[in-house]
Amino acid sequence: MDLSLSGSSPLPIYQQLFDQVCGQILDGRLKSGDALPPIRTVAKELSISVIPVKRAWEELEAAGFIESFVGRGCFIAPMSADKLQRLKRAMAADKLSDAAAYCKGMGLTLAEAEALLKDAWRSAEK
Amino acid sequence: MDLSLSGSSPLPIYQQLFDQVCGQILDGRLKSGDALPPIRTVAKELSISVIPVKRAWEELEAAGFIESFVGRGCFIAPMSADKLQRLKRAMAADKLSDAAAYCKGMGLTLAEAEALLKDAWRSAEK
Amino acid sequence: MDLSLSGSSPLPIYQQLFDQVCGQILDGRLKSGDALPPIRTVAKELSISVIPVKRAWEELEAAGFIESFVGRGCFIAPMSADKLQRLKRAMAADKLSDAAAYCKGMGLTLAEAEALLKDAWRSAEK
Amino acid sequence: MDLSLSGSSPLPIYQQLFDQVCGQILDGRLKSGDALPPIRTVAKELSISVIPVKRAWEELEAAGFIESFVGRGCFIAPMSADKLQRLKRAMAADKLSDAAAYCKGMGLTLAEAEALLKDAWRSAEK
DNA sequence: GTGGTCTAGACCACG
DNA sequence: GTGGTCTAGACCACT
């Protein structure tokens, strides 16, 4: 379980943790039933207090990504591959929809937006 | 000059105001030389204090979008059509770049992303 | 705004606060737009830390009962009288449904349950 | 002896076990003198540790529902049909009383509560 | 002044 | 050991 924090990020710690765990579930690195490390362990490894870790885990639970059990730990919630796939597409569509609305508002044409998307895709690393 | 605030938005008030004025400049509703309403007027219309309005105007001036003259008011800064155009494309490209990186992280292909962009474009109102 | 804590209650502080504010919204003592007292004030009045107060307010916001604005305070969220009414009935129906399922499991008849409900209603104070 | 655990329940494991055994005694599936399965057997079947099972059995004994004999096992305690009946009604009345108080607090009338109870009764399966 | 986030401890119930 | 709740401070951005 690799987690890291960016001191330069404007996002709060708990948000960064949420995003990373969420990402690892969506991209398959974490699967249903996998145990998350105890919050105290994560806190110690990242040299932060338990509070932001706990908060991240809480929001993950509220979002249905994980389940927590007192005395046992936290686990990735059961989720069908199909549901995962739909979630991923929905989130991606959401981001693109935002961008599309913005470009339209700026007076760009669909063709221009597609060209920009292609450029961005190519220059995106990883 | 129509400005509005969203109570549900996580963005601070001054940021919302900045974005709206900025957007109206970029999409042409506000042109070089146009006068901005006095901050007290805006504050009264939106039922907020002058402080966030003042801050929004300040940041607009710092970003070069407006110019303020004590005793006369604030005006949209002169900007060549060409510069405006470049600014617009740059901001749109930025948004698309973000979305592209996200979709790539989610494992989507460029073709899938383009399809989603087209869908979003069609379903976008306004 | 009267809030109180029961030291003997098994419920956590934040839960007690949530229930009380929620109740005051549902029974009309708090109306849309009303300001909630600042969390620090509540904490001081109840001689507790800000944490449980903040948590209660957070859950109220997540549940859609209130809205919070940095620097301005927290306010009862706009909600139509109709929606309020529906919410109240839904919550009451939920409680009764639980009780009904339990009584059924115990082998009681509907008539017996109704008789017990009437008794309870009469003996309920307030 | 069928016992099951709900991962989504907020109740601790020992409590869930307690409730189920208690319920089976009250609804007649378990009768005076019946033997309870050994805690190790239950623990293995439910894939949990013996600790919560042991605790559930202990609380059942403390509540007078079962008797345990070292080396022989645990058995449902003798209880007159009359006492059982009274217990059942008392517990049902308790639940209904809670619900009644809640409905009253919400401003519902007795007639409305009865109507909701009837609805719940009909829609309750099992 | 407000709420939002955080540190560095602590105690509790549960397993 | 685990997570859940809490105290008593602190700093930050926003109004």
Side-chain angles (χ1 to χ4, degrees), chain A residues 80-92:
Chain A
S80 70
D82 184 52
K83 187 180 168 197
L84 244 178
Q85 190 59 23
R86 266 183 292 121
L87 239 176
K88 278 161 65 173
R89 294 191 69 88
M91 293 177 82

Side-chain angles (χ1 to χ4, degrees), chain B residues 13-95:
Chain B
I13 294 177
Y14 82 89
Q15 184 70 261
Q16 296 185 37
L17 294 177
F18 179 96
D19 290 347
Q20 287 179 51
V21 174
C22 183
Q24 295 190 19
I25 294 173
L26 291 177
D27 71 13
R29 268 183 289 172
L30 290 171
K31 294 185 216 67
S32 290
D34 286 358
L36 257 60
I39 58 174
R40 283 174 187 74
T41 307
V42 175
K44 203 172 291 177
E45 280 175 359
L46 297 175
S47 306
I48 58 176
S49 104
V50 280
I51 297 176
V53 187
K54 187 168 185 301
R55 172 144 181 202
W57 268 222
E58 278 169 4
E59 310 231 341
L60 284 164
E61 186 169 18
F65 285 112
I66 70 174
E67 289 176 336
S68 76
F69 305 92
V70 290
R72 285 182 43 220
C74 296
F75 303 85
I76 308 299
M79 197 183 291
S80 72
D82 185 51
K83 186 181 170 197
L84 243 180
Q85 190 60 22
R86 265 185 291 119
L87 244 176
K88 277 161 65 173
R89 294 190 68 87
M91 295 180 81
D94 225 52
K95 289 263 179 187

Side-chain angles (χ1 to χ4, degrees), chain A residues 14-78:
Chain A
Y14 77 89
Q15 186 68 262
Q16 296 184 38
L17 294 177
F18 178 96
D19 290 346
Q20 288 179 49
V21 174
C22 184
Q24 295 192 18
I25 294 173
L26 291 178
D27 73 13
R29 267 182 291 172
L30 289 171
K31 294 187 215 70
S32 289
D34 285 0
L36 261 61
I39 54 176
R40 285 171 180 77
T41 307
V42 174
K44 209 169 290 175
E45 282 176 357
L46 298 175
S47 306
I48 57 175
S49 111
V50 254
I51 302 278
V53 186
K54 192 185 176 293
R55 167 106 190 240
W57 268 223
E58 267 173 18
E59 310 236 335
L60 285 165
E61 185 169 20
F65 285 115
I66 71 172
E67 288 178 339
S68 75
F69 304 91
V70 180
R72 290 207 293 142
C74 295
F75 304 85
I76 308 297

